[in-house]
Amino acid sequence: MANGFIKNIFTNLLKNNNKAITENNEAKTSKRSFSGFMDQILNNVASDQTTRINKKLAQDKNLNVSKVYSMRNYEEGSRPEGNARMWKGENVGRGDEDTGNVTEEVRSSAVDSVKYDPKQGLCWVKYVGGNEWYSFKMNPKQFKTYMQSSSKGRYTQNVMRENNYDTEWENHPVPN
Protein backbone atom coordinates (compact mmCIF):
# COMPACT_ATOMS: atom_id res chain seq x y z
CA MET A 1 0.00 0.00 0.00
CA ALA A 2 2.78 2.44 0.91
CA ASN A 3 4.58 1.86 -2.40
CA GLY A 4 1.38 2.64 -4.37
CA PHE A 5 0.77 5.76 -2.31
CA ILE A 6 4.33 7.00 -2.87
CA LYS A 7 4.09 6.16 -6.58
CA ASN A 8 0.88 8.24 -6.89
CA ILE A 9 2.55 11.21 -5.21
CA PHE A 10 5.53 11.05 -7.56
CA THR A 11 3.29 10.52 -10.60
CA ASN A 12 1.28 13.64 -9.82
CA LEU A 13 4.43 15.59 -9.04
CA LEU A 14 6.01 14.64 -12.36
CA LYS A 15 2.81 15.29 -14.36
CA ASN A 16 2.70 18.83 -13.04
CA ASN A 17 6.44 19.48 -12.99
CA ASN A 18 7.93 17.37 -15.76
CA LYS A 19 10.06 20.17 -17.13
CA ALA A 20 13.14 21.83 -15.75
CA ILE A 21 14.28 25.34 -16.57
CA THR A 22 17.76 25.62 -18.08
CA GLU A 23 20.15 28.54 -17.66
CA ASN A 24 18.61 30.20 -20.75
CA ASN A 25 15.08 29.94 -19.28
CA GLU A 26 14.19 27.23 -21.79
CA ALA A 27 11.99 24.32 -20.77
CA LYS A 28 13.77 20.99 -20.88
CA THR A 29 12.00 17.65 -20.46
CA SER A 30 13.63 15.17 -18.11
CA LYS A 31 15.36 12.26 -19.89
CA ARG A 32 14.77 9.93 -16.97
CA SER A 33 11.48 8.06 -17.04
CA PHE A 34 9.32 7.94 -13.97
CA SER A 35 9.09 4.16 -14.07
CA GLY A 36 12.90 3.90 -14.16
CA PHE A 37 13.12 6.30 -11.24
CA MET A 38 10.53 4.34 -9.23
CA ASP A 39 12.19 1.01 -10.06
CA GLN A 40 15.44 2.34 -8.65
CA ILE A 41 13.75 3.55 -5.46
CA LEU A 42 11.72 0.38 -4.96
CA ASN A 43 14.70 -1.93 -5.64
CA ASN A 44 16.84 -0.28 -2.93
CA VAL A 45 16.70 -2.04 0.42
CA ALA A 46 18.70 -2.03 3.63
CA SER A 47 20.36 -5.23 4.85
CA ASP A 48 18.09 -5.25 7.92
CA GLN A 49 14.89 -5.34 5.82
CA THR A 50 14.58 -9.13 5.87
CA THR A 51 10.94 -9.23 4.76
CA ARG A 52 11.57 -7.04 1.68
CA ILE A 53 14.68 -9.03 0.78
CA ASN A 54 12.81 -12.35 1.06
CA LYS A 55 9.90 -11.03 -1.01
CA LYS A 56 12.20 -9.84 -3.82
CA LEU A 57 14.13 -13.12 -3.80
CA ALA A 58 10.87 -15.09 -4.00
CA GLN A 59 9.97 -13.03 -7.08
CA ASP A 60 13.46 -13.49 -8.64
CA LYS A 61 14.01 -9.71 -8.58
CA ASN A 62 17.36 -7.96 -8.43
CA LEU A 63 18.28 -6.28 -5.16
CA ASN A 64 20.30 -3.14 -4.48
CA VAL A 65 21.33 -3.01 -0.82
CA SER A 66 22.33 0.60 -0.34
CA LYS A 67 22.50 0.51 3.47
CA VAL A 68 24.54 -2.36 4.83
CA TYR A 69 24.34 -2.90 8.61
CA SER A 70 26.51 -4.86 11.04
CA MET A 71 26.25 -5.37 14.80
CA ARG A 72 28.46 -4.05 17.60
CA ASN A 73 28.30 -5.45 21.15
CA TYR A 74 29.37 -4.02 24.49
CA GLU A 75 28.82 -4.66 28.18
CA GLU A 76 25.84 -2.87 29.70
CA GLY A 77 26.89 0.44 31.25
CA SER A 78 30.22 0.39 29.36
CA ARG A 79 29.27 1.93 26.01
CA PRO A 80 32.47 3.16 24.32
CA GLU A 81 32.72 6.78 23.22
CA GLY A 82 32.24 7.94 19.64
CA ASN A 83 30.78 6.44 16.52
CA ALA A 84 29.88 2.76 16.96
CA ARG A 85 30.86 2.15 13.34
CA MET A 86 34.50 2.83 14.21
CA TRP A 87 34.71 1.04 17.58
CA LYS A 88 37.71 -1.16 18.22
CA GLY A 89 38.94 -2.79 21.40
CA GLU A 90 38.44 -5.71 23.73
CA ASN A 91 35.03 -4.69 25.06
CA VAL A 92 33.52 -4.09 21.62
CA GLY A 93 32.41 -7.06 19.60
CA ARG A 94 31.39 -7.59 16.02
CA GLY A 95 28.79 -10.27 16.17
CA ASP A 96 26.91 -12.96 18.04
CA GLU A 97 30.05 -14.80 19.13
CA ASP A 98 31.13 -11.90 21.32
CA THR A 99 30.24 -11.63 24.99
CA GLY A 100 28.74 -8.14 25.06
CA ASN A 101 25.20 -8.16 26.38
CA VAL A 102 24.07 -4.98 24.57
CA THR A 103 23.89 -5.03 20.77
CA GLU A 104 23.81 -1.95 18.55
CA GLU A 105 23.17 -1.99 14.82
CA VAL A 106 25.45 0.31 12.80
CA ARG A 107 26.39 0.85 9.16
CA SER A 108 29.07 -1.62 8.12
CA SER A 109 32.59 -0.24 8.36
CA ALA A 110 33.78 -2.55 5.56
CA VAL A 111 30.95 -3.05 3.05
CA ASP A 112 29.40 0.01 1.40
CA SER A 113 26.85 -1.52 -1.02
CA VAL A 114 25.67 -4.89 -2.26
CA LYS A 115 23.79 -5.89 -5.41
CA TYR A 116 22.31 -9.31 -6.04
CA ASP A 117 20.91 -10.92 -9.19
CA PRO A 118 19.13 -14.18 -8.30
CA LYS A 119 18.76 -15.19 -11.97
CA GLN A 120 22.53 -15.15 -12.49
CA GLY A 121 23.30 -16.28 -8.95
CA LEU A 122 25.75 -13.41 -8.53
CA CYS A 123 26.30 -11.00 -5.65
CA TRP A 124 28.38 -7.84 -6.16
CA VAL A 125 30.08 -6.10 -3.24
CA LYS A 126 31.56 -2.61 -3.10
CA TYR A 127 33.77 -1.85 -0.11
CA VAL A 128 33.75 1.38 1.90
CA GLY A 129 36.03 3.90 0.21
CA GLY A 130 36.31 1.82 -2.96
CA ASN A 131 34.95 2.21 -6.47
CA GLU A 132 35.35 -1.39 -7.70
CA TRP A 133 32.56 -3.98 -7.53
CA TYR A 134 33.54 -7.61 -6.85
CA SER A 135 31.23 -10.50 -7.71
CA PHE A 136 30.62 -13.69 -5.77
CA LYS A 137 28.63 -16.76 -6.80
CA MET A 138 25.66 -17.22 -4.45
CA ASN A 139 22.28 -18.85 -4.47
CA PRO A 140 19.35 -16.99 -2.84
CA LYS A 141 19.68 -18.98 0.41
CA GLN A 142 23.35 -18.00 0.72
CA PHE A 143 22.44 -14.37 0.01
CA LYS A 144 19.82 -14.41 2.80
CA THR A 145 22.44 -15.80 5.18
CA TYR A 146 24.82 -13.02 4.15
CA MET A 147 22.21 -10.31 4.80
CA GLN A 148 21.46 -11.84 8.22
CA SER A 149 25.11 -12.11 9.28
CA SER A 150 26.12 -9.93 12.22
CA SER A 151 29.23 -8.60 10.44
CA LYS A 152 28.99 -8.16 6.67
CA GLY A 153 32.71 -7.38 6.34
CA ARG A 154 33.77 -10.45 8.30
CA TYR A 155 31.32 -12.65 6.35
CA THR A 156 32.62 -11.29 3.03
CA GLN A 157 36.24 -11.93 4.01
CA ASN A 158 35.89 -15.26 5.81
CA VAL A 159 33.06 -16.97 3.94
CA MET A 160 32.44 -15.41 0.55
CA ARG A 161 36.07 -14.95 -0.45
CA GLU A 162 36.80 -18.55 0.56
CA ASN A 163 33.68 -20.27 -0.81
CA ASN A 164 31.97 -17.97 -3.31
CA TYR A 165 34.77 -16.06 -5.01
CA ASP A 166 34.09 -15.48 -8.69
CA THR A 167 37.33 -15.74 -10.68
CA GLU A 168 35.52 -14.20 -13.66
CA TRP A 169 34.31 -11.14 -11.71
CA GLU A 170 35.77 -8.71 -14.24
CA ASN A 171 33.60 -10.30 -16.96
CA HIS A 172 30.34 -9.86 -15.03
CA PRO A 173 29.07 -6.31 -15.40
CA VAL A 174 27.40 -4.86 -12.32
CA PRO A 175 23.62 -4.50 -12.77
CA ASN A 176 22.12 -1.03 -12.50
Side-chain angles (χ1 to χ4, degrees):
M1 181 176 153
N3 289 344
F5 177 72
I6 293 169
K7 189 172 183 175
N8 288 337
I9 290 173
F10 279 108
T11 301
N12 291 330
L13 182 73
L14 287 176
K15 276 183 191 173
N16 297 324
N17 299 301
N18 65 350
K19 297 188 179 191
I21 304 300
T22 64
E23 291 177 17
N24 302 330
N25 289 328
E26 296 172 9
K28 179 180 176 185
T29 304
S30 172
K31 292 180 182 176
R32 188 175 187 181
S33 74
F34 173 71
S35 63
F37 172 71
M38 282 308 295
D39 285 345
Q40 185 177 7
I41 288 175
L42 296 176
N43 281 336
N44 279 328
V45 296
S47 63
D48 63 342
Q49 294 177 312
T50 306
T51 304
R52 279 188 77 188
I53 289 171
N54 291 340
K55 184 177 178 182
K56 289 189 176 295
L57 289 174
Q59 296 170 345
D60 263 352
K61 290 188 176 180
N62 290 0
L63 285 134
N64 295 320
V65 182
S66 54
K67 292 182 181 171
V68 180
Y69 292 102
S70 290
M71 306 305 282
R72 298 293 184 266
N73 300 322
Y74 57 93
E75 295 298 326
E76 189 170 0
S78 302
R79 187 183 191 283
E81 297 283 324
N83 182 345
R85 186 176 185 182
M86 303 304 170
W87 286 347
K88 293 183 172 99
E90 292 177 12
N91 69 327
V92 178
R94 292 182 175 227
D96 297 332
E97 69 273 22
D98 298 305
T99 59
N101 60 3
V102 178
T103 302
E104 189 168 326
E105 190 171 66
V106 297
R107 291 288 300 269
S108 174
S109 58
V111 178
D112 179 65
S113 304
V114 174
K115 295 182 182 220
Y116 182 67
D117 180 348
K119 291 175 185 156
Q120 291 187 65
L122 290 172
C123 174
W124 289 267
V125 175
K126 183 169 80 170
Y127 294 99
V128 171
N131 294 320
E132 194 90 41
W133 288 89
Y134 298 91
S135 66
F136 299 89
K137 298 173 188 170
M138 301 180 102
N139 64 41
K141 185 176 180 180
Q142 290 171 318
F143 183 75
K144 284 183 197 180
T145 302
Y146 178 42
M147 289 296 103
Q148 293 170 353
S149 66
S150 58
S151 174
K152 305 306 184 283
R154 191 183 297 177
Y155 191 95
T156 303
Q157 290 298 101
N158 297 338
V159 177
M160 291 166 58
R161 288 187 65 169
E162 295 293 321
N163 302 318
N164 305 90
Y165 188 70
D166 181 10
T167 56
E168 299 291 317
W169 66 269
E170 292 176 325
N171 298 325
H172 296 133
V174 180
N176 293 330

